[in-house]
Amino acid sequence: MSTAGADSDDMPLFAASRKVYPQSVSGPFRRAKWAILFLCLGIYYLLPFLRWDRGPHLPNQAVLADIANGRFYFFFIEIWPQEVYYFTGLLIIASFALFLMNALAGRVWCGYLCPQTVWTDLFLAVERFFEGDRRERMRLDEAPWSFGKLWRKVAKHAVWLVIAWWTGGAWVLYFADAPTLVRELATFTAPLSAYVWIAILTFTTYTLAGIMREQVCKFMCPWPRIQAALTDDEALNVTYRYDRGEPRVSVKQGLKLKAQGAPAGDCIDCYQCVAVCPVGIDIRDGAQLDCIQCGLCIDACDTVMAKVDRPKQLIAYDTEINVKRRMAGLKAIYRPFRARTAIYAALIVVVGGAMLWQLATRRTADISVLHERAPLFVTLSDGSIRNAYTVRLLNKRPEIRPFALTVDGLPGIRIEAVGVVQTADVRPVVAVDPDSSREVRVLVTVPAGVPLEASQAITITASDLFAGETVHAADHFMAPGAKL
Amino acid sequence: MDQRHDAPHIDPHTGIATTGHEWDGIRELNTPLPRWWLGIFYASILWSIGYWVVYPAWPLLTDTTRGVIGYASRADISADMAQLKAQRAVQAAGMADATPAQIKADPTLFQIAMAQGKAAFGDNCAACHGVGGAGAKGYPNLNDDDWLWGGSLDAIQQTITHGIRVAGNDETRVSQMPAFGRDGMLKRDEINAVANHVRELAGLSTEPKANLALGRKLFADNCAACHGEAGKGNAEMGAPNLTDAISLYGMDMASLTETITNSRNGVMPAWGGRLDATTIKALTVYVHSLGGGQ
């Protein structure tokens, strides 16, 4: 056995990650990221407090997942538990939107919109506020413990924990009346589950955004792997244009080489793109799985290029195809309209359209009928046959609604409901409370002498006496049939 | 010999000490149990001793050791039941003072009574009357509108509370149809004539050779006092209507002959002593609402 083989067997499978110290940077991408951060976090933290008037019987919180009562409210939309397929539709649209973004400009989601990126950005800003920029932070971490180091670290973690606590606090507000819950939380009278959820989300936010940061994207998130399988050559990516950048030489050396007529690239090897990178990679190594494509290296490189008086966009949103084409002396091509972008867009329109149509035409009442099985039918003393049913009426409107019940399908058939008043024309009227459902026992009778099979179809109809909305349910009427 | 104890034999292939046992050149490696395993093992033993002291554990001849905290799973269940009863008392607070008619008129109480009644019916009544009160031969169907002892809320409550033909219950439902054949009050051909007359009253076919005139006379003499001249029955006396489309024991000749010869006189327990008043009210409302309530 050779010693080399033994060495490779003993190679550790684990390598400790090196801490990343991203440097601050300014430029259009950084500004866009700040804007998105404020917008997304603003919506997340404040949306529960937005009010939406739904009348006296329903909660007036614009966005509320009322688990206890089984309702989800989103502005003018109210979802019942049996309508959760709307969420399936939303998830499908979200998936295709992600695919479309990816087909157009790579990992837009990762770089700008993903909560992991947004919260990590915020936590980095806090870290920078207390511990200074890249070099100061590196120096601080290497320095021995002192009072200055201690208070900076403690303050940073304290602010992190407060942000993390607010993140969990905002989360639970989506599940109960926000102002009430805030008051309860402040006076320690909120339900235990609220505190538990806040604790869970405080822990995850603090750990993921403060401690783990880019490790989440590199090792935990499945999207980079899926994205790599979904992408194509024509999707724009944050690209180092090595056609322009190579070979890398210093400014002085570059001038000398150019004077001699030797090739000299625009990249001055200043490592600014590496310093600002939040995942700690070198973009000049080419497209890679760890790159979240946040564009901060573009800002960093453009700043440097402006200083050395060279054209910007040495790092830019570009494709590998175009780098190759420029090297071959061809014109760059961009094709945002391709088969896959068209298909993704069309699917988003189709699914979104179907959901909107369904939402616009959905009923605000519903009826379901369950035939009583014991007994299937009963003979009354005058020989007429009666079947019993459990009828459930749904009222999705915020007001009380009276539904008149009628039955069709057989001569002389009549309907009554147990414990319910009847109208003058002998229709039982079931009043259903606002935004709720009511179950009634319904008796359907066919007089003696009507020829009956063992089973025949009937229809039970509920009509809203005021609004006129009518819903039907088909069921069966059972009888002794031909056997007797 | 001594050497073996002082310096244990080391297995050359694994570098692990052996136990010193040897069988035909095969030695046993000394691989003791892992320390963590032993730790858990001893901790479990200590735990079990503590458990014996705290909880009921050891069976004795007639009893078991009780444990110092006096735990018993039966006490747990009793506590759960007491909690359930307290909860029900709150939910059904209004039912204790209300009559069945008042319960039926109040939507909230009605809903509670229906739920409670359904559960109590399943526990106590369904064995004979069937799930949903569908009944069977000899056990009335509670969904129809034919009542032996009356189908009003009060009548149903009375029947459930005191039962039917319960010995020793003063208020029980009681009526006694004679066993005309067994007791020799009517002869075989007379019974046949009465059975045919009953079928005639119900609008059913009669046997070609039936002596309907005799049947009519015997019915008037023996049966009409309770069942009425026209056989319409009397709920006051628990005498069924013989002319409607519902019969408890069958209207074919064989069943009628059996009924007249031996009588039926079915029984039902008095639930007043077994169920509390609120449960009986809930049962009353539930049975009344099955479809036949008057």
Side-chain angles (χ1 to χ4, degrees), chain B residues 55-56 66 70-81:
Chain B
Y55 283 98
R66 289 287 179 184
Y71 172 83
S73 51
R74 178 174 285 272
D76 271 10
I77 290 186
S78 305
D80 283 356
M81 294 297 286

Side-chain angles (χ1 to χ4, degrees), chain A residues 202 266 446:
Chain A
T202 304
D266 276 349
V446 172

Side-chain angles (χ1 to χ4, degrees), chain A residues 374-375 378-383 386 418-419 441 443, chain B residues 131-132 134 141 143-145 244-246 289-291:
Chain A
V378 59
T379 307
L380 299 186
S381 49
D382 64 356
R386 172 186 284 170
V418 177
R441 184 175 166 88
L443 308 171
Chain B
V131 181
N141 185 337
N143 289 262
D144 62 31
D145 58 347
D244 64 20
I246 300 164
S289 303
L290 282 175

Side-chain angles (χ1 to χ4, degrees), chain A residues 11 33 73 121 144 150 203 228 310 330 352 360 375 384 414 420 454:
Chain A
M11 236 171 64
K33 276 170 71 71
Y73 302 96
D121 241 13
L150 184 70
F203 172 75
R310 286 182 186 167
L330 298 168
S384 51
R414 62 178 196 277
V420 157

Side-chain angles (χ1 to χ4, degrees), chain B residues 2-262:
Chain B
D2 286 344
Q3 203 180 11
R4 201 171 66 186
H5 290 287
D6 295 336
H9 176 266
I10 305 292
D11 175 58
H13 297 290
T14 57
I16 296 172
T18 69
T19 56
H21 305 157
E22 185 192 327
W23 297 272
D24 297 338
I26 298 171
R27 288 168 190 272
E28 183 187 12
L29 291 180
N30 184 10
T31 42
L33 290 164
R35 198 166 297 171
W36 64 264
W37 192 95
L38 275 175
I40 293 172
F41 179 64
Y42 292 130
S44 305
I45 292 173
L46 286 176
W47 175 267
S48 69
I49 292 168
Y51 192 97
W52 300 337
V53 175
V54 174
Y55 283 98
W58 288 100
L60 306 175
L61 279 180
T62 55
D63 199 9
T64 62
T65 56
R66 289 287 179 184
V68 293
I69 61 166
Y71 172 83
S73 51
R74 178 174 285 272
D76 271 10
I77 290 186
S78 305
D80 283 356
M81 294 297 286
Q83 194 189 354
L84 188 73
K85 272 192 180 153
Q87 207 175 328
R88 271 197 194 158
V90 174
Q91 275 179 345
M95 280 178 57
D97 304 324
T99 65
Q102 286 165 332
I103 292 171
K104 185 129 193 182
D106 182 318
T108 316
L109 288 182
F110 179 61
Q111 210 176 349
I112 297 169
M114 286 295 279
Q116 249 191 49
K118 188 174 184 177
F121 192 90
D123 286 349
N124 301 293
C125 317
C128 294
H129 287 286
V131 181
K137 185 173 178 179
Y139 302 101
N141 185 337
L142 303 174
N143 289 262
D144 62 31
D145 58 347
D146 189 27
W147 298 88
L148 292 171
W149 297 98
S152 68
L153 284 164
D154 288 342
I156 294 171
Q157 191 181 19
Q158 166 82 10
T159 306
I160 296 173
T161 309
H162 298 290
I164 294 166
R165 299 184 185 93
V166 177
N169 190 317
D170 293 342
E171 291 178 72
T172 191
R173 303 288 196 185
V174 63
S175 69
Q176 200 72 42
M177 175 167 151
F180 289 99
R182 196 175 62 211
D183 294 347
M185 295 161 76
L186 293 176
K187 293 192 200 63
R188 180 173 292 203
D189 56 338
E190 290 171 328
I191 290 172
N192 181 272
V194 172
N196 270 295
H197 175 64
V198 168
R199 280 183 67 83
E200 187 186 28
L201 285 174
L204 302 168
S205 63
T206 53
E207 289 172 330
K209 290 179 196 161
N211 189 344
L212 291 173
L214 176 64
R216 197 173 303 126
K217 183 181 173 300
L218 288 170
F219 188 89
D221 292 347
N222 296 290
C223 315
C226 295
H227 288 286
E229 196 79 21
K232 296 284 184 193
N234 184 345
E236 292 292 313
M237 294 184 246
N241 183 345
L242 303 174
T243 63
D244 64 20
I246 300 164
S247 79
L248 193 52
Y249 291 96
M251 291 291 279
D252 56 293
M253 278 305 291
S255 297
L256 282 171
T257 307
E258 163 72 17
T259 303
I260 299 165
T261 306
N262 292 321

